[in-house]
Amino acid sequence: MTQARPIPQPSSPATPAKRWAYVIPVAAIMYMLAYLDRNNVSVILPYMHGDLELSNADKGLVGGVFFVGYVFLQIPAAILAQRWSARKTVVILMVAWGLAASLSGLVQTKSQFYAARFVLGFFEGGVWPAVLILLASWFPLRERARANALWMACLPLSSVLMAPLSGWMLDHASWRWVLVLQGVPPLVWAVVWWFAVADRPAQARWISRAEADHVERSIAADEAAKPPAGSGSYLDAVRQKSVLVLIGVYFFWITGFYGFNLWLPSVIKELTHNGSSTEVGLLTAIPFTVALGVMIANAAWSDRTGKRRQAVAVPLVVGIVALLLGQAVDGALPRMLLLCVTAAAVYAPYGPFWAIPGQLLRFEVVAVAMGLINALGNLGGFAGPYLVGWLTDATGSSVTGFAVLSGFLAVAVALVTLGLRTGTRPVRRLSDQAAEGA
């Protein structure tokens, strides 16, 4: 006789949810500080005034070489987070990237700047998959897109807060000091992270037994509903078609994402007819503010409906249209509105996309799968900025570069729509699971 699995009970008003107030904010602030240096360099590049004799292609390479270093620790950090401790893995990387960030302000040559950006990317690279593993231990699948999006809201929020701050700092200090100072906050926040974060509910002092039990039962039910993981080896992750498709989706999406992101302040500077760095920084924050709201709303819709693929594909289609229209229209206001739409569109898929691996793969292999997706996909972070810079130098206009980025986003849409057609299943509510089990 087959033994029945324990059926998790649906969440009720009596079930506490402190994890939303403790885990998400600490993780979001931590990664907002990681994203600070990427935001800073995009604001700084238009105002370096030939200090290191950087062409547009060189500036694109400065943004892109970060992601070459970013690849190396993705899978090792994911495995460490799963088998050892996400909390300890992240705190080590925080200290290392904080020091590397400050050192990038001390470079004297173009080659040294490239090297500094590579090292910074190397240490930051392991943080993303480690935190995804952490969240998978705290939030069941029916909450995963919202948890991912609220954490990843640090990406546009970082730009909202830091772009004006970076612009103001540039008006009062050199770009070198801006880069040196960016390494200090991660060192401070590493202390907060160490005392505030636990790897799983059972280890946290602040969580109630009821909430811990509820989370553990829910996650156990999610795992039981997934297909078997084969031999359970990490090779099982790379053998699955869905993982290969997700790598492709992420690469082409991120190529467009970072190609747009890095050059956004330069486009806004052009719209303001070479306005001050403070003015450019404030205006740059507007598209990211719009993106923040759309990103969270899209994730909530994805969790409510279980339509992960549509929550990724539809915003990217909107982004393609806005990106192309932005190169065709005249006038500062229409172009600014289209920049806001594009920013919202390229940020919106984050929460739903990163909920897909955990929906398809068992916990034994999802760590290496997410590390692999992030490692290879983020090579688009090298391709996008460099392509726009190189094409701008070659053609004398950014139009061609942004048109190419639209093409990359279109490939991502095709892959997520067709390649995952039979791979994803709707996420059921726990109450539905309980009713079926009864």
Side-chain angles (χ1 to χ4, degrees):
M1 182 175 179
T2 305
Q3 185 178 3
R5 295 195 309 266
I7 300 172
Q9 297 304 309
S11 180
S12 70
T15 302
K18 282 189 175 181
R19 62 193 184 282
W20 293 96
Y22 279 76
V23 178
I24 296 295
V26 175
I29 292 173
M30 178 276 298
Y31 207 77
M32 185 171 69
L33 299 177
Y35 204 68
L36 169 62
D37 61 81
R38 276 171 260 182
N39 178 72
N40 265 354
V41 77
S42 67
V43 175
I44 287 168
L45 284 174
Y47 295 94
M48 291 181 70
H49 302 305
D51 284 8
L52 299 180
E53 299 180 355
L54 298 176
S55 67
N56 284 320
D58 292 332
K59 291 176 181 178
L61 191 57
V62 166
V65 75
F66 173 95
F67 292 98
V68 178
Y70 196 83
V71 169
F72 289 92
L73 289 185
Q74 292 288 317
I75 294 175
I79 294 173
L80 277 175
Q82 182 192 31
R83 292 194 168 187
W84 179 47
S85 166
R87 169 175 169 260
K88 294 175 183 176
T89 299
V90 171
V91 81
I92 291 170
L93 292 172
M94 284 182 75
V95 172
W97 105 58
L99 295 173
S102 290
L103 290 174
S104 67
L106 305 179
V107 299
Q108 299 298 318
T109 67
K110 184 164 57 177
S111 297
Q112 290 176 1
F113 201 16
Y114 294 153
R117 295 286 299 167
F118 175 90
V119 172
L120 182 60
F122 179 84
F123 287 122
E124 277 192 25
V127 176
W128 184 271
V131 175
L132 284 171
I133 295 299
L134 180 75
L135 295 182
S137 298
W138 279 93
F139 298 93
L141 279 175
R142 68 188 182 91
E143 300 173 341
R144 193 73 53 79
R146 280 169 291 163
N148 288 346
L150 286 171
W151 165 51
M152 296 171 191
C154 63
L155 305 184
L157 185 59
S158 174
S159 299
V160 169
L161 298 176
M162 301 305 176
L165 179 61
S166 297
W168 178 82
M169 290 174 70
L170 281 170
D171 278 341
H172 296 85
S174 72
W175 62 268
R176 293 183 182 278
W177 270 110
V178 176
L179 294 179
V180 168
L181 292 174
Q182 76 181 1
V184 176
L187 300 178
V188 176
W189 199 251
V191 179
V192 177
W193 174 274
W194 181 256
F195 289 104
V197 172
D199 283 307
R200 52 189 59 87
Q203 298 173 348
R205 299 177 182 176
W206 45 263
I207 194 172
S208 69
R209 187 69 258 166
E211 183 175 3
D213 289 344
H214 168 73
V215 172
E216 290 170 2
R217 288 198 307 269
S218 300
I219 292 175
D222 289 340
E223 291 299 304
K226 295 176 188 177
S231 65
S233 71
Y234 290 131
L235 286 177
D236 286 323
V238 300
R239 290 173 181 157
Q240 299 197 38
K241 174 191 171 185
S242 58
V243 175
L244 299 177
V245 172
L246 288 170
I247 291 170
V249 173
Y250 202 52
F251 173 83
F252 287 102
W253 164 30
I254 291 300
T255 300
F257 176 89
Y258 277 113
F260 169 79
N261 249 26
L262 183 75
W263 291 100
L264 176 61
S266 297
V267 173
I268 289 178
K269 182 183 178 185
E270 178 186 331
L271 292 181
T272 61
H273 304 292
N274 295 317
S276 71
S277 54
T278 300
E279 181 183 4
V280 171
L282 287 169
L283 289 174
T284 298
I286 296 174
F288 295 116
T289 303
V290 177
L292 177 62
V294 173
M295 183 179 175
I296 295 172
N298 189 49
W301 179 83
S302 172
D303 272 346
R304 188 173 65 252
T305 63
K307 295 179 178 179
R308 306 295 196 204
R309 292 184 301 116
Q310 294 89 332
V312 173
V314 173
L316 293 182
V317 171
V318 174
I320 293 167
V321 175
L323 203 55
L324 292 175
L325 283 177
Q327 309 308 307
V329 302
D330 292 321
L333 182 58
R335 292 188 69 186
M336 188 67 186
L337 290 174
L338 287 168
L339 289 175
C340 290
V341 174
T342 304
V346 297
Y347 273 97
Y350 262 109
F353 177 85
W354 283 109
I356 293 174
Q359 184 178 334
L360 296 176
L361 303 170
R362 296 183 66 84
F363 194 74
E364 305 94 272
V365 297
V366 76
V368 72
M370 289 194 294
L372 189 65
I373 292 165
N374 203 41
L376 299 182
N378 262 296
L379 289 175
F382 172 83
Y386 183 73
L387 267 176
V388 175
W390 180 77
L391 288 170
T392 300
D393 279 342
T395 64
S397 169
S398 62
V399 173
T400 306
F402 283 109
V404 170
L405 295 184
S406 299
F408 276 83
L409 293 178
V411 176
V413 171
L415 286 173
V416 77
T417 304
L418 303 177
L420 294 177
R421 175 173 290 180
T422 59
T424 54
R425 305 180 309 279
V427 179
R428 296 176 300 166
R429 297 176 181 176
L430 289 182
S431 55
D432 297 335
Q433 295 174 8
E436 289 179 13

